[in-house]
Amino acid sequence: MTNKVWFITGASKGFGRILVNKLLKRGDKVAATSRSIESFADIKDSNFLALEVKNLADEQTVKQAVEKTIETFGAINILVNNAGYGLLGAFEEISDAEMRTEFDVNVFGTFNTIRNILPFMRKQKSGQIINISSIAGFVGYENWTAYNASKFAVVGFSDSLKHELKPLNIRVLCVMPGPFNTDFLNNNSLKVSDQRISDYKTNAVHSAWDEMNHKQEGDPDKAMDALIKLVDENNINIDQAFFGKWAYQGAKEQIKNIENQMNEISSLVEHLEYN
């Protein structure tokens, strides 16, 4: 599937930037968003459209970016919702404002791009939406409550959306990576709650993740190669994909744990209907 038009959010670094470079190299057209258009200053390619979107939660700004892409390239075939950041902290430590900002970027930004691109995909009777969630959208982790909640929201949303869009020939793929060697654990991508409550040991958890920074086993180049291959192969049976050994093993353990619990309480809860 070459010579397609991609719209990618959060493309200034990490997965997004790697994906942009790979797609341009193979001749696809790419519109990419960043909070600062200067982050794309080094890209000199007529197939690239740089879009400055400082706040994906601002629907009007997102709408303008989508319209500019359609005006420039005539279509959007594939949307990749990649923008997001981590928020570390136990739930009691996280303020309402911190939680809402996390959801604005990770969840409502995703909603806004999809809402504004769907009319064009419906008109062209085709398209693919790729939502980058996380293994943290399938498995809960200590002191990642807000991030877990936002990524679970993306997974649940994607799982429902796929049913709505399938009759319209628009596919939805939710990708759930584990730790990859990107800048995700850097201070500008990973925030820590302002409040500290000693009982929750957030400082120790933060130190452990900080120690992992740029030592993650996942290769982001291979991850984006896999993503492109999934798109090209267009396997209609795949709508969720766990990326990397950490994610794959974590998902298997979570599924096994759920099955064990279902078996343990089946006699209590399986038959709760009226006789």
Side-chain angles (χ1 to χ4, degrees):
M1 181 186 287
T2 57
N3 301 317
K4 295 296 182 179
V5 180
W6 297 63
F7 187 102
I8 304 171
T9 68
S12 63
K13 58 187 176 182
F15 281 156
R17 184 57 180 267
I18 293 169
L19 182 59
V20 166
N21 292 341
K22 288 180 179 293
L23 294 173
L24 291 176
K25 186 175 181 179
R26 77 177 199 163
D28 285 6
K29 296 178 173 63
V30 181
T33 77
S34 171
R35 285 174 293 180
S36 172
I37 203 167
E38 293 302 317
S39 61
F40 298 132
D42 60 316
I43 300 180
K44 311 296 182 184
D45 193 310
S46 60
N47 285 334
F48 182 70
L49 176 64
L51 298 165
E52 184 169 276
V53 179
K54 293 186 180 298
N55 181 11
L56 288 167
D58 180 0
E59 188 161 13
Q60 188 59 35
T61 304
V62 173
K63 181 180 180 181
Q64 291 171 355
V66 170
E67 290 175 345
K68 186 173 182 180
T69 302
I70 297 295
E71 180 183 333
T72 303
F73 295 134
I76 296 175
N77 305 113
I78 303 151
L79 163 63
V80 182
N81 283 303
N82 173 68
Y85 74 95
L87 175 57
L88 187 67
F91 175 71
E92 192 179 351
E93 297 174 324
I94 297 169
S95 69
D96 179 76
E98 288 172 328
M99 181 70 82
R100 288 178 185 275
T101 302
E102 176 80 333
F103 268 68
D104 274 349
V105 177
N106 293 4
V107 181
F108 289 102
T110 294
F111 291 173
N112 280 343
T113 54
I114 294 174
R115 186 183 296 111
N116 283 282
I117 284 175
L118 274 180
F120 299 99
M121 288 187 171
R122 283 193 294 106
K123 185 177 180 179
Q124 66 195 21
K125 294 182 171 55
S126 66
Q128 181 157 7
I129 296 168
I130 301 170
N131 293 328
I132 307 296
S133 179
S134 166
I135 184 58
F138 196 75
V139 180
Y141 294 99
E142 179 186 11
N143 294 70
W144 286 94
T145 319
Y147 184 71
N148 273 127
S150 70
K151 291 303 184 179
F152 265 82
V154 171
V155 173
F157 167 71
S158 302
D159 200 40
S160 177
L161 188 67
K162 72 184 182 187
H163 297 294
E164 296 177 7
L165 299 185
K166 184 177 180 180
L168 304 175
N169 195 34
I170 301 170
R171 290 190 56 206
V172 178
L173 171 66
C174 188
V175 177
M176 289 168 272
F180 278 79
N181 192 0
T182 66
D183 292 334
F184 178 76
L185 295 177
N186 286 4
N187 290 336
N188 59 348
S189 294
L190 176 62
K191 308 299 182 184
V192 184
S193 59
D194 290 336
Q195 183 180 193
R196 288 290 188 282
I197 300 173
S198 60
D199 287 343
Y200 292 114
K201 307 293 189 296
T202 295
N203 286 339
V205 174
H206 183 210
S207 294
W209 283 98
D210 191 49
E211 178 63 27
M212 186 191 291
N213 193 17
H214 292 299
K215 298 177 184 176
Q216 303 96 317
E217 293 183 357
D219 183 335
D221 278 290
K222 291 181 179 178
M224 292 303 95
D225 285 338
L227 179 61
I228 292 170
K229 188 173 183 180
L230 279 173
V231 171
D232 287 350
E233 290 181 348
N234 196 33
N235 187 335
I236 62 173
N237 296 317
I238 305 298
D239 52 59
Q240 292 185 336
F242 297 97
F243 273 23
K245 291 181 179 178
W246 178 304
Y248 196 78
Q249 188 60 37
K252 289 178 68 175
E253 292 175 1
Q254 180 78 325
I255 292 167
K256 182 178 180 180
N257 180 47
I258 292 171
E259 287 180 339
N260 289 340
Q261 292 188 57
M262 289 177 68
N263 291 333
E264 189 169 332
I265 65 170
S266 61
S267 61
L268 176 64
V269 301
E270 189 173 1
H271 302 290
L272 298 179
E273 296 78 15
Y274 289 107
N275 292 329

